[in-house]
Amino acid sequence: MVSFAGYSMPLQYGDLGLGESHNWTRQKASLFDVSHMVQHRLFGPGAAGLLLRLTPASIVTLQPHHSTLSVFLHPQTGGILDDTIVTRLGQQFFYLVTNAGCRDKDLTYLNKHIKQWHEAGGEAVSWEVLENWGLIALQGPLSASILEGILVDPLDINLKGLYFGQSKFAQLRLPTGEPSAPILISRGGYTGEDGFEISLPPDISVSVTESLLHSAGPEKLRLAGLGARDSLRLEAGMCLYGHDLDDTTTPVEAGLSWTIGKDRRIDGGFFGDQVILRQLKPIKEGGSGVGRRRVGFIIDGAPAREGAEIVDLEGNVTGKITSGCPSPTLKQNIAMGYIKNGLHKAGTKAEVVVRGKKRSATVTKMPFVPSNYWKPS
């Protein structure tokens, strides 16, 4: 157990080592307790308009029971205050998940800007933090069959037709045999594998978790901790806030330009839009471009960890590593970091300083391991 964001969290469980747990997730299925994440409900006639201001997402075109990764933006600089999953549950009803490490900052941010929204005459917005709710992530190729095993009515939710980024309310069978209340099941996760995130009211968080574990059995499903979660997300090329993202970094620098909706690139209207829209355009087209970009690396020799300097072949410092670990899948050392613009193309050679020694590094496209999300064929 380790301290994380004010919680005592499992780094790993005794039955599997970190690498074994990682591989188990890729081959079978793992269950992650991510109840430390902050779950929100935002609703009312002004909810969509508020989100259009705070994020660069295409909220207007987001369909009911569809999700999108987005970011909360700094009003002036366009820096990333936090990353978030936004799910539209109804025309005026949204469900958001934000990072536990940013809880106090996010709550202050939302309080402030909801208040300013109303003071400026914006339509009514109500906001609720789902305190003490559970959130579990069922991840891996066996996830769908395991979840299907405890659905009260398999016809209630067609898992084959529920694709990555979509959600549905359904009842799950508790260990007593009784049905749960309808709970939100979202297809997605943080591992690059097929899977689901399940939002649970406090009174059934433990019982639904037990139901999944008992129904699947240890030959299919194991508990997994933060260690495997970190190596899985890094292989999948996913950012961890406070390491690969912070409020000095814009979505364009972070390689998250795809979170900026096509319609938003024309009209703007989100915090920091003047900075971000100029960064999207190269200098020769009248934009500002960016000075650095987030990229992946394959590292020779010892693994490069957060904070390691990136240097070019002449020894000039060109960037910094933000995440790194040995890849259990690839059997190579992988890393993520920011490098000077122009040196970010795949195949570019560089060096990383690890414990005072330079190690050869190659800029590599991400994800390092192909994703297995459930999508229409």
Side-chain angles (χ1 to χ4, degrees):
M1 304 295 286
V2 295
S3 178
F4 181 79
Y7 291 85
S8 184
M9 297 289 296
L11 181 66
Q12 70 178 96
Y13 291 84
D15 58 340
L16 294 174
L18 290 180
E20 292 173 313
S21 183
H22 177 111
N23 292 330
W24 186 278
T25 310
R26 292 265 184 255
Q27 296 162 10
K28 297 185 180 182
S30 295
L31 196 64
F32 299 82
D33 177 6
V34 290
S35 304
H36 61 298
M37 303 289 280
V38 188
Q39 302 178 69
H40 313 250
R41 288 172 176 161
L42 200 67
F43 49 95
L50 176 69
L51 288 172
L52 285 170
R53 175 180 289 188
L54 304 184
T55 78
S58 292
I59 299 298
V60 172
T61 58
L62 188 64
Q63 296 298 307
H65 282 282
H66 285 67
S67 304
T68 183
L69 174 70
S70 194
V71 291
F72 289 145
L73 296 168
H74 188 283
Q76 284 78 47
T77 67
I80 299 172
L81 274 297
D82 197 7
D83 57 313
T84 179
I85 297 291
V86 179
T87 302
R88 185 173 218 142
L89 296 179
Q91 193 59 33
Q92 300 179 3
F93 184 16
F94 296 87
Y95 165 76
L96 286 73
V97 180
T98 57
N99 286 298
C102 296
R103 179 188 175 96
D104 291 342
K105 179 173 67 171
D106 288 344
L107 298 190
T108 299
Y109 177 84
L110 287 167
N111 261 315
K112 175 182 177 179
H113 293 298
I114 290 173
K115 181 180 178 182
Q116 289 183 354
W117 172 265
H118 286 145
E119 288 174 346
E123 294 184 288
V125 176
S126 296
W127 169 45
E128 177 186 7
V129 178
L130 302 181
E131 299 287 6
N132 300 317
W133 277 53
L135 187 65
I136 54 175
L138 174 63
Q139 299 284 291
L142 300 183
S143 295
S145 62
I146 290 170
L147 179 59
E148 193 169 42
I150 67 165
L151 285 173
V152 171
D153 182 1
L155 299 178
D156 194 34
I157 174 173
N158 174 18
L159 294 183
K160 289 184 178 179
L162 187 74
Y163 298 116
F164 177 79
Q166 298 180 355
S167 63
K168 185 86 172 180
F169 283 98
Q171 290 180 292
L172 300 180
R173 189 175 62 254
L174 302 178
T176 60
E178 297 177 314
S180 71
I183 58 177
L184 182 65
I185 298 170
S186 304
R187 198 152 201 164
Y190 197 48
T191 63
E193 294 296 330
D194 183 25
F196 305 86
E197 293 195 344
I198 305 171
S199 176
L200 298 165
D203 60 325
I204 61 169
S205 294
V206 173
S207 56
V208 168
T209 302
E210 289 176 339
S211 192
L212 283 165
L213 289 168
H214 294 164
S215 174
E219 67 279 1
K220 293 182 180 179
L221 181 64
R222 301 284 185 95
L223 290 166
L226 292 180
R229 185 170 167 85
D230 192 52
S231 56
L232 287 160
R233 69 91 190 170
L234 185 52
E235 285 188 350
M238 294 178 176
C239 299
L240 177 62
Y241 195 87
H243 300 263
D244 313 300
L245 302 175
D246 59 32
D247 56 12
T248 68
T249 305
T250 69
V252 186
E253 293 172 312
L256 297 176
S257 296
W258 58 270
T259 65
I260 307 165
K262 292 181 180 179
D263 55 323
R264 313 305 308 280
R265 299 178 184 218
I266 298 171
D267 301 326
F270 51 86
F271 282 168
D273 57 355
Q274 292 187 352
V275 174
I276 291 171
L277 294 181
R278 288 189 69 235
Q279 288 182 342
L280 286 171
K281 290 184 178 181
I283 295 173
K284 63 183 180 181
E285 295 179 16
S288 64
V290 292
R292 58 178 183 148
R293 293 185 182 272
R294 180 176 64 91
V295 296
F297 295 94
I298 298 292
I299 312 290
D300 293 335
R305 304 294 185 178
E306 180 180 4
E309 287 187 337
I310 304 165
V311 297
D312 62 21
L313 300 184
E314 283 72 49
N316 302 304
V317 176
T318 57
K320 187 170 289 188
I321 297 296
T322 53
S323 290
C325 73
S327 164
T329 304
L330 300 177
K331 303 295 190 291
Q332 292 178 296
N333 294 317
I334 60 174
M336 184 188 298
Y338 287 83
I339 197 168
K340 184 178 179 182
N341 187 44
L343 302 177
H344 63 283
K345 294 182 180 179
T348 301
K349 300 296 182 180
E351 293 179 317
V352 176
V353 182
V354 180
R355 295 195 291 272
K357 295 183 178 180
K358 293 179 181 179
R359 307 288 183 179
S360 297
T362 304
V363 176
T364 308
K365 289 183 178 181
M366 296 186 285
F368 297 98
V369 174
S371 299
N372 292 311
Y373 302 129
W374 185 252
K375 294 185 176 182
S377 56

